[in-house]
Amino acid sequence: MSTVLVVDDDAAIRTVVAQALRRAGHDVTVADSLAQLERALAVLLPDVLITDVILPDGDGIDHVRSVSARFPLLPIIVLSAQNTLTTAVRAAEVGAYEYLPKPFDLDVLSRAVAGALARGGMVSEDALHEADRALPLIGRSAAMQDVYRIIARVVSNDLTVLISGESGTGKELVARAIHDLGPRSAAPFVAINMAAIPRELIEAELFGHERGAFTGAATRNAGRFEQASGGTLFLDEIGDMPMEAQTRLLRVLQSGEFTSVGGVRTIRVDVRIVAATNRDLASQVATGQFREDLFYRLNVVPITLPPLRERRQDIALLARHFLDHAAAQGLPRRQLASDALVALGGHDWPGNVRELENLMRRLAVLSRDEIIDADAIRTMIGRHASLTDPVDLDIGQAVRAMIERIAHDDPAALDDGTLYDRVIGEVERPLIEAMLARHGQNQLRAARAMGINRNTLRKRLDTLGIDIGGTIGSDALRVDEPERR
């Protein structure tokens, strides 16, 4: 008979869990604190340990690290009401076999215990520091807990991940979480949207090109694979990739080698691949629109993101987060009335989390009241039948609302000669940040897209205090690139 040690300060949970496991044929010992856990371990070596995170005398996850060091083969299951990505990753990183958010299904717990007994525990290194603050993955719903658990299991390895989900569900955020929490976090994270690249330029964008490879190729350009060397390459909207480019991508994934367009030298890079799609790739494989072998090469670890309508309990949490984020960026601080939360919960959100974020930003800019009520929600949703496109906010309205805010908060600023620079700066910053993000933080390409030269862009980056990390060096390598003006 296997022995299970259950540690939880809630007597009701201890009782229910113990009864369920005893019915399943296990011998169960219970404890209500870390002190009692240590006393139990002094006289008993259980086959499985189940522990809560918040205990009267300490943090259960921190203690798991100590227990795992002394008993490396002991499978540990962590229970927690702190249902965040941080909790899931912490549990995995300190060596927990499984993490189950509260409330949990007793059948799920029983299966986890059976699995732990059959397969033993996992061992990994501690590598997490304040991840909740760094990663904007938010949600306590059961669907998001499933996503967190998968992320926690894949961050420490290099398995290829395929993220699927409707537009606006946060696929790039998941890709960034996998990168930022893993051993490649100090290396580049490079994103490319396959749907935004003309078919004839996809190979040059991915693999780079040599000088003279085609008309207009005045110098050698490194492709996204080279830019991401040592880090993570995020292939967004992979389902839009043309068949001929799919064939070459497959060869690169198989061999890790490629040649640039117009080049003869073999280039080898060490890159982790994370791909994403809002399409049904299996259906595309069946209709011959997507290579079956590439699909299986990408779909090693699948992560499916739920649409917002299937995680409505997260809407209030997300809405408040987006309002706080808007306020941190200088927009007016707003709060949501209780009837506003009801109105938000009743919307179907065809644009998912992106739609909710854009709605909150509009309300922060355009609402005249600090407290946003249900009427304001319904009016704004009715005014914008689709809130999925971030550019459908009238810029003129936004600027007028900005001036009203300045007049309210700092009336003297309307007459001190700084208003023009202040407003232009607030409009210029999101423009530059958006174009840098769109072009993988490449200053040269972002400058070209905006119709300015690279030196002008760098001056504006310094003036506005925009930090893009280590990407300046990659641009500096291409000093022979001619400027447009």
Side-chain angles (χ1 to χ4, degrees):
M1 178 182 293
S2 59
T3 300
V4 181
L5 175 57
V6 178
V7 186
D8 199 299
D9 62 340
D10 188 319
I13 290 179
R14 291 198 305 272
T15 299
V16 170
V17 169
Q19 290 176 346
L21 294 178
R22 284 171 182 143
R23 286 197 300 270
H26 305 292
D27 184 18
V28 180
T29 299
V30 297
D32 63 7
S33 64
L34 295 178
Q36 282 197 7
L37 164 63
E38 286 301 316
R39 284 195 288 271
L41 290 176
V43 298
L44 168 72
L45 180 57
D47 297 294
V48 179
L49 168 63
I50 301 173
T51 181
D52 193 12
V53 173
I54 303 300
L55 294 166
D57 49 351
D59 185 305
I61 292 183
D62 286 342
H63 203 73
V64 165
R65 185 182 290 107
S66 170
V67 173
S68 294
R70 287 176 286 158
F71 308 102
L73 299 181
L74 172 63
I76 301 175
I77 297 172
V78 172
L79 310 177
S80 178
Q82 294 181 315
N83 303 336
T84 66
L85 173 60
T86 298
T87 310
V89 175
R90 287 184 67 206
E93 292 295 329
V94 299
Y97 170 76
E98 181 61 281
Y99 156 74
L100 295 178
K102 295 179 179 179
F104 52 85
D105 190 308
L106 288 174
D107 289 338
V108 173
L109 177 62
S110 295
R111 288 196 296 271
V113 170
L117 290 170
R119 296 191 296 272
M122 301 188 304
V123 179
S124 58
E125 297 178 358
D126 178 26
L128 182 71
H129 299 286
E130 298 181 334
D132 261 355
R133 189 165 61 186
L135 299 171
L137 279 173
I138 294 172
R140 297 177 181 270
S141 61
M144 287 305 294
Q145 298 309 309
D146 291 339
V147 172
Y148 294 164
R149 283 199 291 271
I150 298 174
I151 292 174
R153 291 178 180 274
V154 301
V155 292
S156 60
N157 57 60
D158 275 343
L159 294 176
T160 302
V161 177
L162 178 61
I163 308 167
S164 59
E166 296 178 7
S167 293
T169 49
K171 296 186 286 294
E172 183 166 350
L173 294 181
V174 172
R176 285 187 177 275
I178 292 170
H179 172 79
D180 290 343
L181 290 175
R184 295 177 179 265
S185 59
F189 175 90
V190 176
I192 179 171
N193 187 323
M194 307 309 299
I197 307 297
R199 295 172 66 95
E200 65 274 12
L201 296 180
I202 283 183
E203 291 196 20
E205 283 289 326
L206 285 174
F207 309 117
H209 64 77
E210 301 299 319
R211 181 176 181 178
F214 49 82
T215 302
T219 187
R220 182 185 189 276
N221 259 9
R224 302 303 175 90
F225 268 91
E226 282 188 83
Q227 294 171 21
S229 184
T232 301
L233 178 60
F234 176 51
L235 302 173
D236 199 7
E237 305 300 352
I238 191 71
D240 291 281
M241 193 176 200
M243 188 63 73
E244 59 271 19
Q246 291 179 32
T247 300
R248 188 165 185 199
L249 175 61
L250 176 64
R251 289 198 299 268
V252 175
L253 296 183
Q254 290 172 334
S255 66
E257 298 178 345
F258 60 91
T259 57
S260 61
V261 176
V264 295
R265 179 176 59 91
T266 298
I267 301 170
R268 170 172 283 275
V269 293
D270 173 26
V271 173
R272 180 178 193 166
I273 299 295
V274 179
T277 182
N278 60 6
R279 297 176 180 268
D280 184 345
L281 289 190
S283 296
Q284 287 190 265
V285 169
T287 58
Q289 297 173 285
F290 200 86
R291 289 187 62 114
E292 183 177 25
D293 43 7
L294 178 58
F295 172 68
Y296 289 120
R297 176 70 64 170
L298 295 172
N299 196 38
V300 177
V301 179
I303 297 179
T304 301
L305 293 184
L308 189 54
R309 61 184 173 276
E310 293 181 6
R311 44 181 292 222
R312 293 183 186 274
Q313 57 267 58
D314 292 333
I315 291 174
L317 192 65
L318 285 162
R320 292 191 180 104
H321 167 78
F322 291 138
L323 287 177
D324 289 343
H325 185 61
Q329 292 183 324
L331 297 180
R333 181 166 294 279
R334 307 296 187 207
Q335 298 182 36
L336 293 166
S338 57
D339 64 342
L341 296 176
V342 174
L344 291 172
H347 185 52
D348 278 342
W349 303 107
N352 293 297
V353 178
R354 183 184 298 130
E355 180 182 359
L356 177 60
E357 179 178 13
N358 291 329
L359 174 63
M360 292 300 103
R361 291 186 68 84
R362 286 188 179 88
L363 288 167
V365 171
L366 302 177
S367 176
R368 295 182 178 274
D369 300 315
E370 181 180 352
I371 305 298
I372 297 171
D373 60 15
D375 287 340
I377 297 291
R378 286 190 286 265
T379 298
M380 188 64 70
I381 290 177
R383 183 181 303 164
H384 300 275
S386 172
L387 295 166
T388 62
D389 185 356
V391 301
D392 64 1
L393 172 62
D394 185 285
I395 298 298
Q397 283 183 306
V399 171
R400 285 189 287 273
M402 185 190 310
I403 292 172
E404 289 182 13
R405 169 169 56 85
I406 293 172
H408 179 271
D409 298 339
D410 185 15
L414 296 180
D415 300 307
D416 65 3
T418 65
L419 183 61
Y420 180 85
D421 287 338
R422 184 169 178 175
V423 172
I424 293 299
E426 292 204 35
V427 174
E428 187 180 24
R429 172 182 288 275
L431 169 63
I432 291 176
E433 290 176 339
M435 295 310 294
L436 285 169
R438 185 177 184 84
H439 294 279
Q441 304 301 315
N442 185 294
Q443 295 177 27
L444 181 58
R445 290 175 179 156
R448 281 177 169 172
M450 290 185 287
I452 61 177
N453 66 47
R454 184 175 50 192
N455 290 334
T456 299
L457 174 59
R458 286 180 175 169
K459 289 176 183 176
R460 299 311 298 159
L461 291 174
D462 290 339
T463 300
L464 296 170
I466 299 175
D467 181 13
I468 61 171
T471 59
I472 293 177
S474 62
D475 269 352
L477 295 176
R478 293 186 286 274
V479 296
D480 56 342
E481 183 75 19
E483 303 289 0
R484 291 185 58 182
R485 70 170 186 260

